Amino acid sequence: MSSQEAQAVNGKDQGRQNGDAPPAADSCQAAACEAAGAPQAAGVPTPTSQEAMSALSDGDVRFVPYTNENDMPGIVELIEKDLSEPYSVFTYRYFINNWPDLCFLTMQAERCVGAIVCKLDVHRCRNTHRGYIAMLAVDKELRGRRIGSKLVQLCLDRMRALGADECVLETEVTNEGALALYRSMGFVKEKRLHKYYLNGNDAYRLKFLFKLPEGFYEGLGCLGPPAEPPRNSSAAGGGEGGEGGAEALEFMATLDMTGQTMLGVEVDWADGRTLYVKSVHGGAVQHWNQTRPPEFFVQPGARILAVNGYSDNPETMASLCRELIAAQMTVQLRVRGPPLPPAAPPQRESEAKEDRDRGSEDEEPKKEKKGKEDKERKKEKKKEKKER
């Protein structure tokens, strides 16, 4: 994508998740989330009518919604000028045909000089409606007139009216103009995506919150409530079968992150469902271990099954941990300890009786031997007395 100013096209579809990396320094936290939700409360009338769109006109340019396939060539031609990698026509049609009401154009006479293409659907693994800005472009000759800002605002207003909880996008880390524009509109950096683009450049994923998610102040962070209710588990209930058939102890570890900067665990999620603890080194987890009996240690070999109710998606769980740490909020880990050694199988009563009988039989020769030794010692003592 072009790195010139903010109106350059910024993104790709959200489907590209495999480049996810740890979050940027100003990751989503309480203060940032509050700021992101500030610009306009839910329920404010949105400028979707022709009269309201006309009010956004700027001299010789006007803002119009996408109408039909006749608008497609102008959008493609404009956006392809600034692309750092090509899109097929099917990509344009995927977004525009499925979400035509989230596509807006800037027209100068009969020429398309600005366009924004977005989508809105339910985010997987989260109970949130997520908007996504896939493409944004403005003709180079008209940059600096805040056309890009107005296009973004039109889409944000439409998403808010449709009940969106958040909006995300990606933009190159070198696109300082775009970063400044989105920051001024309330977007915050969520994470850095390494080598996200085909040209090898990294990207920032930016997020705008229309409202703080339900349960944010109860420790659920910026994810909102789990899409499914958390599984029931007791503080020290039995877990799933461990290696060798033995049951591992399952428990809840509640970590107060006030004053803490890290959990202090190195994890692996190769199984695709849990966070496997590889090592523990300082942080909130070590403090927990110092104040608990050994059976409730979060230690190497243990598995983190859920974070604040979220389970079965380790990347989401890890992301939530980062958000809660940044916000200095409570982290609740459902942990299954390392597998216990296999227990000896219970003996049948008949086998136990045989063992007892065998033990009594073994004791009789021992008693006889001991009796003989006692008699010999007595004889030796009598003999010594006679000699004296």
Side-chain angles (χ1 to χ4, degrees):
M1 311 293 173
S2 171
S3 61
Q4 298 183 27
E5 227 229 324
Q7 286 80 8
V9 63
N10 67 66
K12 304 162 68 74
D13 190 13
Q14 301 172 75
R16 189 176 191 173
Q17 300 287 343
N18 58 348
D20 284 9
D26 52 351
S27 177
C28 187
Q29 50 185 292
C33 290
E34 294 275 13
Q40 215 171 7
V44 174
T46 57
T48 55
S49 65
Q50 289 293 339
E51 293 80 3
M53 304 253 330
S54 299
L56 287 175
S57 297
D58 183 5
D60 58 341
V61 299
R62 66 187 191 280
F63 297 88
V64 299
Y66 173 83
T67 53
N68 54 44
E69 189 75 13
N70 294 329
D71 293 334
M72 187 76 72
I75 297 173
V76 174
E77 180 183 358
L78 175 67
I79 291 177
E80 284 189 344
K81 292 179 183 179
D82 291 313
L83 283 176
S84 60
E85 52 194 83
Y87 285 133
S88 72
V89 68
F90 300 105
T91 303
Y92 292 97
R93 284 178 174 160
Y94 165 74
F95 286 105
I96 296 173
N97 291 345
N98 285 294
W99 296 275
D101 54 342
L102 289 174
C103 177
F104 295 93
L105 312 179
T106 305
M107 304 297 295
Q108 187 178 51
E110 298 304 316
R111 185 170 69 99
C112 179
V113 294
I116 187 168
V117 177
C118 307
K119 64 181 282 191
L120 176 64
D121 56 8
V122 177
H123 186 260
R124 63 185 180 88
C125 303
R126 303 183 184 182
N127 191 23
T128 56
H129 288 81
R130 168 178 280 192
Y132 180 70
I133 299 178
M135 309 172 197
L136 171 64
V138 172
D139 189 280
K140 292 182 180 179
E141 296 179 359
L142 298 175
R143 291 178 183 169
R145 295 175 58 175
R146 299 189 60 79
I147 292 174
S149 300
K150 293 176 181 178
L151 287 170
V152 172
Q153 191 62 56
L154 281 170
C155 281
L156 292 179
D157 290 340
R158 179 63 62 85
M159 289 178 188
R160 180 184 288 108
L162 295 173
D165 298 299
E166 61 186 15
C167 177
V168 300
L169 60 92
E170 293 89 23
T171 189
E172 288 186 82
V173 297
T174 56
N175 194 342
E176 296 179 0
L179 291 171
L181 180 148
Y182 291 122
R183 185 167 55 248
S184 70
M185 301 191 72
F187 284 83
V188 294
K189 294 176 185 175
E190 183 183 34
K191 61 179 68 176
R192 183 168 181 145
L193 309 175
H194 291 287
K195 297 183 179 179
Y196 184 79
Y197 296 103
L198 295 181
N199 61 11
N201 283 355
D202 293 355
Y204 283 128
R205 176 167 296 155
L206 307 180
K207 179 185 285 188
F208 178 93
L209 293 178
F210 295 97
K211 55 188 176 183
L212 288 175
E214 179 186 350
F216 178 84
Y217 290 111
E218 285 71 43
L220 295 177
C222 292
L223 298 181
E228 298 179 358
R231 299 173 181 174
N232 293 329
S233 62
S234 60
E240 298 177 17
E243 297 175 6
E247 287 190 350
L249 181 66
E250 190 173 311
F251 58 93
M252 293 293 294
T254 302
L255 311 176
D256 183 4
M257 299 309 301
T258 304
Q260 298 282 357
T261 58
M262 63 178 181
L263 286 181
V265 291
E266 181 183 359
V267 297
D268 178 277
W269 55 65
D271 69 347
R273 295 189 62 187
T274 65
L275 297 173
Y276 176 78
V277 179
K278 298 171 64 176
S279 64
V280 177
H281 43 272
V285 168
Q286 187 176 71
H287 178 73
W288 165 272
N289 290 344
Q290 291 171 349
T291 57
R292 296 297 185 280
E295 60 266 27
F296 296 113
F297 281 4
V298 180
Q299 56 187 305
R303 290 188 179 275
I304 298 174
L305 308 179
V307 177
N308 287 48
Y310 283 87
S311 61
D312 297 328
N313 190 318
E315 293 184 56
T316 298
M317 291 155 59
S319 176
L320 177 55
C321 283
R322 290 192 288 264
E323 290 181 0
L324 296 174
I325 292 168
Q328 298 280 282
M329 302 188 74
T330 299
V331 177
Q332 287 187 327
L333 307 178
R334 182 155 60 90
V335 182
R336 186 196 307 143
L340 302 175
Q347 287 185 321
R348 292 196 297 266
E349 187 175 346
S350 58
E351 293 177 349
K353 184 178 180 182
E354 289 177 3
D355 290 343
R356 288 195 298 270
D357 294 342
R358 194 179 301 114
S360 60
E361 291 174 0
D362 293 340
E363 287 177 1
E364 289 180 3
K366 291 179 181 179
K367 289 179 179 179
E368 292 179 1
K369 184 178 180 181
K370 187 177 180 182
K372 290 179 180 179
E373 291 176 352
D374 291 342
K375 288 180 180 179
E376 289 178 0
R377 279 197 293 271
K378 287 179 180 179
K379 287 181 180 179
E380 288 178 0
K381 287 181 180 179
K382 288 180 179 179
K383 187 176 179 181
E384 288 176 0
K385 286 181 180 179
K386 287 180 181 179
E387 289 176 355
R388 288 176 186 170

